[in-house]
């Protein structure tokens, strides 16, 4: 788990917006909320069986989750500034930095990493 959270991975780029610009962007783009702006994030491709992949596909989700070490702001106040967050599976990835789950858009700021892990390993992340 330590390697997953802190080890090297494939570099990915999020938006280069400042925190303040991202907050303005989010408020304008998602006026009804349900967004969370994050930094220091990890895109995790889940090792799943064909059956698990099929079950996710039935609900138009992908075997990918996001873990972020740093919440900048959460519109619903589920997490405080600086908290970590683990998402539910990816629904849609858009604009090169919009990681959308079924209920929330996570805006990825700055550099991130892409890694692969089992669902069991990811489930151990609180």
């Amino acid at each position: 788990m330590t390697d997953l959270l802190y080890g090297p991975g494939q570099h990915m780029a999020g938006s280069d917006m400042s925190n303040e610009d991202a907050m303005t962007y989010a408020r304008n783009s998602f006026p009804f909320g349900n967004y969370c702006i994050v930094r220091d994030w990890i895109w995790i491709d889940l090792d799943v069986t064909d059956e698990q992949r099929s079950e996710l596909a039935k609900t138009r989700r992908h075997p990918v989750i996001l873990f972020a070490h740093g919440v900048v702001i959460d519109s619903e106040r589920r997490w405080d500034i600086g908290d970590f967050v683990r998402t539910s599976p990816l629904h849609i990835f858009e604009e090169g930095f919009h990681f959308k789950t079924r209920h929330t858009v996570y805006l990825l700021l700055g550099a991130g990493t892409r890694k692969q892990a089992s669902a069991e390993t990811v489930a151990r992340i609180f």
Side-chain angles (χ1 to χ4, degrees), residues 81-94:
I81 295 170
D83 281 354
F84 71 85
V85 62
R86 182 190 73 188
T87 71
S88 57
L90 173 68
H91 177 58
I92 300 171
F93 185 66
E94 297 178 321

Side-chain angles (χ1 to χ4, degrees), residues 14-31:
S15 172
D16 62 357
M17 282 189 267
S18 68
N19 290 354
E20 293 76 22
D21 288 344
M23 286 188 265
T24 300
Y25 174 87
R27 287 184 194 115
N28 291 334
S29 300
F30 311 103

Side-chain angles (χ1 to χ4, degrees), residues 1-8 40 42 44 67 69 113 115 125:
M1 176 145 14
T2 300
D3 191 48
L4 175 62
L5 295 179
Y6 302 104
D40 194 15
I42 304 168
I44 304 172
F67 176 86
H69 290 280
T113 56
K115 300 180 182 185
I125 301 171

Side-chain angles (χ1 to χ4, degrees), residues 65-77:
I65 66 155
L66 183 75
F67 176 86
H69 290 280
V71 169
V72 173
I73 191 167
D74 177 57
S75 67
E76 304 301 305
R77 298 184 181 186

Side-chain angles (χ1 to χ4, degrees), residues 31-79:
F32 301 107
N34 293 332
Y35 62 84
C36 183
I37 303 171
V38 299
R39 286 194 176 276
D40 194 15
W41 49 272
I42 304 168
W43 174 292
I44 304 172
D45 293 303
L46 298 173
D47 293 326
V48 296
T49 65
D50 289 340
E51 182 179 337
Q52 290 168 320
R53 186 177 306 279
S54 177
E55 286 300 312
L56 285 167
K58 288 178 185 177
T59 57
R60 298 182 331 176
R61 296 181 298 162
H62 303 275
V64 176
I65 66 155
L66 183 75
F67 176 86
H69 290 280
V71 169
V72 173
I73 191 167
D74 177 57
S75 67
E76 304 301 305
R77 298 184 181 186
R78 295 164 291 192
W79 302 282

